[in-house]
Each structure stands twice: as structure tokens, then as C-alpha cells.
């Protein structure tokens, strides 16, 4: 259950209750005036305790820390050059893979020109086959860091393994956990022990609750800097799109959790000419930002060329995305 105390709660009551729950024994989590007691649906409060309580929520989701019931305010993630969450709209762009020092620098300039404050790019690639390009590894991270620093951008990049965490800490502002690793629990626990912001992608067959419970693995380790990415899910129909973009997940997630929700139209559709319309739809869904793949020579991209926007298309798309966001902000309610 989640206990919402009155704003001016007496600390002594809070501490005494914590001790009582610990004796049952039950695990207790506290944020401000909210106390969550794991696996407890009922408790006989004394009159004095009851008078300190505003509300008791008995149907508590398993993802307590991520739940809006426990933490009503939006989480805002602050990076050196970006703010992510709430009513902000953050653009993240770059190639699928870091291909070379020169290429990532060129793509960073395009990304920045389109209003991106984060540079994306993979140095460790979770490819469907082991024979496809696997990424440049640490060298790729270094290239990305340099490209971003030259332009005053932040870096978001994927790691696939818990052993990559110390290396990522040296180079990236946001650790991306890919769709295929959404339930890699040792990786989730490892990033949960850091304070590095984490962008967790929804798994190919992950339900909304699966995603929130995966995020809880990160939060329960002490890292609350989490954003969630809707990147399309597998459904029965992948004839024309790589995945099915579940845009309803955006407002649903925003209702359930305080974490920023980001959309990824590139992986959702898998075809460059479908990216812009879905980017507009993603913006209209109310997401706090977008991550998109770009490439100046998609036919020769090391990965995901088919869904990568050429610079011109990207620049037009982001112009419209920001205009749409501005229009939405002007709506009275
Ligand atoms: C990527 O961002 O390039 C990527 C591999 O994404 P996903 O994990 O969503 O497939
Ligand atoms: Mn990709």
C-alpha cells in the first residue's frame, strides 16, 4: 500500500510507522510525504496515525518507485546541455551506429542543426545476426564524446552488458538499454547502481507493465534518472512497417509513471519515408522527446540505413516537429 501523509506530517509518526512495518517484516520506501509498504494491503492505524494521513492506496502497482501514486511530480532529468521530462521536448538524433570519427562529427552537426541537444549513436550493436556489424566499441564512444563536446551536445549510447558500465561512465551522459535487453536484469541492476541517466527501450514483446517493472529494477538500485522509450512492438503485421508504433502507450505511461516518455519513430516503422509522419504523431501523442536516426548516405550505412533520414529530410521534419509542439503548447487546455 501507499500512504499519503498530510503535508505537515510529524516526523515522529512517520518513523514509528516505519519501525512497525519493519517489524512485520515489510519493506518500506519513502519519498517526501509518501510511504510505500511492499506487499501489505491492510493495516490498523491508530487514531493518531490516521489523523496524520490524507489517503491510503491499497491497490499498489509492483513498480512502486516508478508509479505516479507514489511520486506524483514529473521526473525531470537534467544533463549539461539538455533537460528531459514534463512539458519539455528534447530532440535526440544521430546515426544508428558510430561508423567513424569523421562521420559521427558530420552527423553531429546535422543533428544539432535540427535542434537535437543529444547525439545518438551505437558503439555496441545488438544485431539480429552475429555476422552483422557489431559496433566500434570503446573507440566509437570516444569519437562520439568528442563530436558532442565540440558542439555542446550530450551523448546517448547503448550498452549491452553490465561489464560495459564503467566504460560508459567515462563517455556518455545517458545509457541506452536496447529493446532486446529490456529484461536483462543483471544489466538493469548494474545501471541501477550508478547515477547515470538511463533510457530504457520497450522490448519487442514487452507489455507496458513489463517496461515499468524493468524500470523498477533500475530505480530500486537507487538510480531514479530514468526515461522510457516507445520504439514499436512486434504484432501480427510487419509487412509494411518493421514494428507497430504503440502511440497510445505514451499517454498511458504518462498516467502511470512520472518518468519522461520518449518516442522513437525510426525503429517503430523501419522505413525512412514513414518516419516523418510518425514523428509528428509521436509529438502529438504528448511525448517529452524523440530519438531519431539520420545518415547522409543511408544506402551504405553500417546499420539501419533503410530507416535513416537524410539530412534535408531530417531538418524539415524537426522544423515541423518543433512547430507542432509550439502549437500544442498554445492550446489553452
Ligand atoms: C538502436 O537504437 O539503434 C536500437 C538498436 O534500438 P532498439 O533497441 O529499439 O532496437
Ligand atoms: Mn538502429
Amino acid at each position: 500500500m501507499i500512504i499519503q501523509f498530510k503535508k505537515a506530517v510529524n516526523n515522529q509518526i512517520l518513523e514509528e510507522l516505519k519501525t512497525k512495518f519493519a517489524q512485520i517484516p515489510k519493506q518500506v520506501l519513502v519519498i517526501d510525504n509518501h510511504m510505500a509498504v511492499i506487499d501489505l494491503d491492510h493495516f490498523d492505524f491508530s487514531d493518531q496515525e490516521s489523523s496524520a494521513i490524507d489517503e491510503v492506496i491499497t491497490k499498489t502497482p509492483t513498480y512502486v518507485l516508478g508509479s505516479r501514486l507514489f511520486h506524483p511530480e514529473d521526473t525531470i532529468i537534467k544533463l549539461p546541455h539538455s533537460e528531459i521530462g514534463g512539458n519539455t521536448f528534447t530532440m535526440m538524433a544521430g546515426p544508428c551506429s558510430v561508423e567513424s570519427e569523421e562521420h559521427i562529427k558530420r552527423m553531429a552537426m546535422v543533428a544539432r542543426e535540427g535542434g537535437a541537444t543529444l547525439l545518438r549513436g551505437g558503439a555496441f550493436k545488438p544485431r539480429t545476426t552475429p555476422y552483422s556489424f557489431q559496433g566500434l566499441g570503446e573507440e566509437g564512444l570516444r569519437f562520439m564524446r568528442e563530436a558532442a563536446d565540440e558542439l555542446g551536445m550530450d551523448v546517448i549510447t547503448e550498452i549491452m552488458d553490465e561489464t560495459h558500465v564503467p566504460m560508459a561512465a567515462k563517455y556518455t551522459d545517458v545509457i541506452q538499454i536496447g529493446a532486446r535487453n529490456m529484461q536483462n536484469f543483471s544489466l538493469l541492476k548494474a545501471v541501477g547502481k550508478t547515477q547515470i541517466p538511463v533510457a530504457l527501450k520497450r522490448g519487442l514483446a514487452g507489455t507496458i507493465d513489463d517496461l515499468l517493472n524493468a524500470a523498477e529494477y533500475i530505480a530500486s538500485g537507487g538510480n531514479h534518472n530514468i526515461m522510457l522509450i516507445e520504439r514499436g512492438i512486434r504484432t501480427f503485421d510487419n509487412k509494411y512497417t518493421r514494428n507497430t508504433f504503440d502511440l497510445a502507450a505514451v499517454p498511458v505511461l504518462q498516467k502511470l509513471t512520472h518518468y519522461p516518455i520518449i518516442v522513437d519513430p525510426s525503429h517503430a516503422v523501419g522505413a525512412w519515408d514513414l518516419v516523418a509522419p510518425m514523428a509528428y504523431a509521436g509529438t502529438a501523442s504528448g511525448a517529452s522527446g524523440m530519438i531519431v536516426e539520420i545518415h547522409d548516405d543511408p544506402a551504405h550505412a553500417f546499420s539501419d540505413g533503410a530507416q535513416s533520414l537524410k539530412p534535408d529530410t531530417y531538418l524539415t521534419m524537426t522544423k515541423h516537429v518543433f512547430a507542432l509542439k509550439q502549437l500544442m503548447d498554445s492550446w489553452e487546455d
Side-chain angles (χ1 to χ4, degrees):
M1 73 178 141
I2 293 173
I3 308 160
Q4 190 186 316
F5 291 96
K6 291 184 174 148
K7 278 270 183 279
V9 63
N10 179 335
N11 242 350
Q12 198 188 333
I13 295 185
L14 222 128
E15 288 306 318
E16 280 171 13
L17 265 171
K18 249 165 103 174
T19 311
K20 281 191 193 174
F21 293 133
Q23 279 164 355
I24 296 178
K26 292 287 171 194
Q27 205 184 329
V28 178
L29 305 163
V30 180
I31 293 182
D32 300 330
N33 61 327
H34 287 78
M35 181 184 282
V37 192
I38 308 293
D39 272 342
L40 188 72
D41 286 339
H42 176 83
F43 189 76
D44 289 320
F45 293 101
S46 70
D47 288 347
Q48 196 201 17
E49 287 160 355
S50 294
S51 66
I53 294 171
D54 248 349
E55 197 187 347
V56 177
I57 300 156
T58 50
K59 289 265 172 288
T60 309
T62 46
Y63 48 88
V64 179
L65 294 169
S67 168
R68 268 212 197 269
L69 297 170
F70 185 50
H71 183 300
E73 289 83 31
D74 289 332
T75 284
I76 310 283
I77 298 174
K78 294 194 169 84
L79 304 175
H81 307 286
S82 329
E83 214 170 275
I84 307 164
N87 195 40
T88 58
F89 193 88
T90 309
M91 185 63 71
M92 316 177 193
C96 179
S97 298
V98 182
E99 301 184 357
S100 70
E101 182 173 11
E102 195 263 322
H103 186 256
I104 192 70
K105 286 193 172 161
R106 215 162 56 234
M107 290 302 93
M109 279 165 68
V110 175
R112 188 77 192 86
E113 196 184 336
T117 54
L118 283 96
L119 176 64
R120 68 142 289 148
F124 297 95
K125 298 304 301 176
R127 305 305 300 284
T128 305
T129 86
Y131 308 114
S132 304
F133 176 62
Q134 303 289 306
L136 294 182
E138 184 164 4
E139 192 181 34
L141 296 182
R142 202 171 56 244
F143 294 160
M144 252 189 120
R145 183 72 265 168
E146 280 173 19
D149 285 347
E150 279 177 16
L151 297 173
M153 297 176 81
D154 301 308
V155 169
I156 173 169
T157 197
E158 173 167 3
I159 59 168
M160 289 166 52
D161 193 283
E162 61 204 272
T163 60
H164 295 156
V165 173
M167 194 199 297
K170 273 168 57 186
Y171 299 102
T172 196
D173 299 289
V174 179
I175 290 177
Q176 178 180 319
I177 295 187
R180 289 156 194 82
N181 270 319
M182 185 194 80
Q183 287 183 319
N184 179 341
F185 297 115
S186 41
L187 178 58
L188 298 174
K189 283 182 188 168
V191 298
K193 287 192 196 123
T194 76
Q195 285 302 309
I196 306 169
V198 180
L200 178 63
K201 291 189 124 186
R202 183 172 177 187
L204 277 68
T207 65
I208 286 173
D209 279 357
D210 289 339
L211 176 61
L212 291 165
N213 283 315
E216 196 73 7
Y217 269 87
I218 303 168
S220 64
N223 187 352
H224 302 270
N225 301 308
I226 300 169
M227 66 191 95
L228 306 176
I229 304 183
E230 165 55 43
R231 46 78 74 206
I233 48 171
R234 281 259 164 96
T235 63
F236 56 89
D237 194 350
N238 63 357
K239 188 169 171 189
Y240 304 103
T241 56
R242 182 174 176 181
N243 293 293
T244 298
F245 204 9
D246 182 9
L247 279 182
V250 177
V252 169
L253 280 164
Q254 285 171 335
K255 212 158 46 167
L256 298 174
T257 185
H258 48 88
Y259 299 135
I261 312 301
I262 308 299
V263 287
D264 174 350
S266 305
H267 292 86
V269 296
W272 73 268
D273 58 331
L274 303 177
V275 171
M278 288 300 97
Y280 306 144
T283 309
S285 75
S288 294
M290 176 175 301
I291 183 162
V292 66
E293 289 185 342
I294 57 175
H295 203 286
D296 53 355
D297 184 9
H300 296 103
F302 289 10
S303 57
D304 284 349
Q307 68 195 32
S308 298
L309 296 180
K310 285 190 183 170
D312 282 0
T313 320
Y314 162 73
L315 294 174
T316 308
M317 183 275 281
T318 55
K319 191 176 73 185
H320 293 159
V321 160
F322 285 118
L324 180 56
K325 171 66 179 152
Q326 218 169 23
L327 171 70
M328 290 172 68
D329 285 344
S330 76
W331 293 342
E332 295 293 309
D333 44 39

